[in-house]
Amino acid sequence: MSEETTRRIDKVVYDIVLAVRDALQKNDVTFEEYRAAVHFLMDYVNQPDYEVALMCDLWFNQTVCNIEMSHCQGTATSVEGPYFLENVPVISDRIKYRDDDGEALLLRGRVTQTDGRPAAGAELFIWHSDAKGYYSGYESALPIEYLRGKVILGEDGRYEVNTTRPVPYTIPLGGITNRLLEAMGRSPWRPAHVHYKIRKPGFLEHTTQAYFKGGAYLDNDPVEAVLSSLVHELKEENGIKVLEKDFVIDPL
Ligand code: MBD
Ligand code: FE
């Protein structure tokens, strides 16, 4: 490892240590409380590993997005969450769903670059939960060709995809991360959302989410990831709800 990397790791990790010490001091934490916390962390080791990712994403992922945004000109980015999958079907105008996956929703918009040109050839990944809050690929009854896909954008950078409208969602209720939230008196509910990720060589990977104006839990997201610019008002065309969202991606 280079000396520079060693210095960087020491700086960040030791700053975290100092911040934790500060919290312990400020709250007059007892030895008993400290031991209880250590035992709780030991319990995480025996859980499915996504629980660790879930806890980290819950507290820290949006912060990293905010840091990234402070150096960027593109549209707002947001938490990837634990349910992104790489090897999904290429789609054009339709995400595969089942009859009972809920209300129809049309996703439409355009991806441009900070230089104003369309993001031609970029990959746009879209994924969201079903009407019960499940993500495909994580439930055996819901294989990955459902409720997710990847659009290869054409010269105009536009996309238009039919799918269904996701509903509010809880983080896994039986999991240890929810045990932590419960112990803190916090809610496991996230507002309904659609996930997006845009990739184009030479550009920063752009990961974000869209929320629905007027939806439940917007003010009480445990992930603290609902930025006002990510809350979208649905339009209605020919009896179908439309979520219009444009993206601007940054060069590397
Ligand atoms: C999700 O669906 C999600 O998007 C995030 C950020 C955390 C947990 C579950
Ligand atoms: Fe999600």
Side-chain angles (χ1 to χ4, degrees), residues 57 61 65 78-84 127 195 197 205 207 209:
D57 287 358
N61 192 339
C65 293
S78 187
V79 180
E80 177 182 279
Y83 301 119
F84 172 68
W127 69 107
H195 291 267
K197 185 190 284 293
E205 184 169 284
T207 305
Q209 303 192 16

Side-chain angles (χ1 to χ4, degrees), residues 119-141:
E123 295 176 323
L124 168 64
F125 291 81
I126 301 176
W127 69 107
H128 62 80
S129 72
D130 71 3
K132 293 201 193 90
Y134 294 132
Y135 282 86
S136 71
Y138 292 85
E139 293 295 319
S140 55

Side-chain angles (χ1 to χ4, degrees), residues 54 79 81-83 135 169 171 190 193 195 209 223:
L54 182 59
V79 180
Y83 301 119
Y135 282 86
Y169 161 90
I171 66 161
R190 293 211 69 222
H193 57 278
H195 291 267
Q209 303 192 16
V223 184

Side-chain angles (χ1 to χ4, degrees), residues 137-211:
Y138 292 85
E139 293 295 319
S140 55
L142 193 52
I144 66 158
E145 63 262 34
Y146 289 92
L147 304 184
R148 49 175 93 233
K150 175 168 92 172
V151 183
I152 313 294
L153 300 178
E155 290 304 313
D156 61 1
R158 291 184 190 281
Y159 69 96
E160 187 162 329
V161 174
N162 288 282
T163 189
T164 54
R165 184 174 171 177
V167 294
Y169 161 90
T170 67
I171 66 161
L173 290 179
I176 190 166
T177 302
N178 186 44
R179 188 135 63 83
L180 178 61
L181 284 178
E182 268 182 350
M184 297 168 77
R186 291 180 184 237
S187 154
W189 284 95
R190 293 211 69 222
H193 57 278
V194 178
H195 291 267
Y196 306 86
K197 185 190 284 293
I198 299 154
R199 280 193 189 146
K200 179 171 175 170
F203 290 81
L204 210 59
E205 184 169 284
H206 192 95
T207 305
T208 195
Q209 303 192 16
Y211 305 93

